[in-house]
Amino acid sequence: MFGIPGKQAVTMTPKAVEQIARLMEAGGHAGLRIGIKKGGCAGMEYTMDYVDQPDANDEIVEQDGARVMIAPMAQMFLFGTEIDYEVSLLESGFKFRNPNVVDACGCGESIKFDERLSPQS
């Protein structure tokens, strides 16, 4: 929808591909849907949900057996994002390296986009 021909909307690191494929297999899901919603102290938050059937307007990105669907409202916010999966002593989870983010809260749970991209209230 907001893509550039021949370029995937998002990319995934090998660790993210491995984790997404593992989650898909364990739950018998078609993939993970990535989106955004209003919330958090910076204004927006990422969402991830299991998907059994993609929506007609989802942007589907497949890489080495992992599949993510990007919700229509999130496509312009996520274009160019790299998805990683990190494990540390205290936490593990998906990390988004998004060139469209201009600010994030101190805890890293919410983000802010350039005002030209942000949805109107």
Side-chain angles (χ1 to χ4, degrees):
M1 186 172 221
F2 289 96
I4 295 173
K7 181 170 172 54
Q8 290 190 344
V10 299
T11 58
M12 296 174 267
T13 66
K15 287 183 180 180
V17 165
E18 181 181 333
Q19 183 64 16
I20 291 169
R22 182 181 302 131
L23 290 170
M24 288 170 57
E25 184 178 331
H29 302 290
L32 295 176
R33 179 173 291 115
I34 301 169
I36 58 165
K37 68 177 184 175
K38 290 185 178 187
C41 49
M44 303 293 283
E45 297 175 322
Y46 293 110
T47 63
M48 292 186 87
D49 299 298
Y50 292 111
V51 175
D52 294 322
Q53 181 68 33
D55 288 342
N57 294 319
D58 283 346
E59 176 77 21
I60 299 173
V61 177
E62 296 184 76
Q63 185 177 322
D64 300 325
R67 185 179 305 112
V68 294
M69 291 79 164
I70 304 171
M73 278 290 296
Q75 291 173 10
M76 71 179 173
F77 298 101
L78 295 175
F79 191 78
T81 298
E82 178 186 64
I83 303 169
D84 194 9
Y85 187 78
E86 297 178 355
V87 178
S88 71
L89 289 174
L90 299 176
E91 65 181 359
S92 62
F94 290 99
K95 303 293 180 186
F96 296 84
R97 293 185 190 95
N98 187 335
N100 305 305
V101 171
V102 296
D103 198 11
C105 67
C107 64
E109 293 296 319
S110 66
I111 51 178
K112 180 179 180 183
F113 294 102
D114 186 310
E115 291 180 13
R116 292 173 288 177
L117 290 177
S118 294
Q120 301 301 314
S121 300

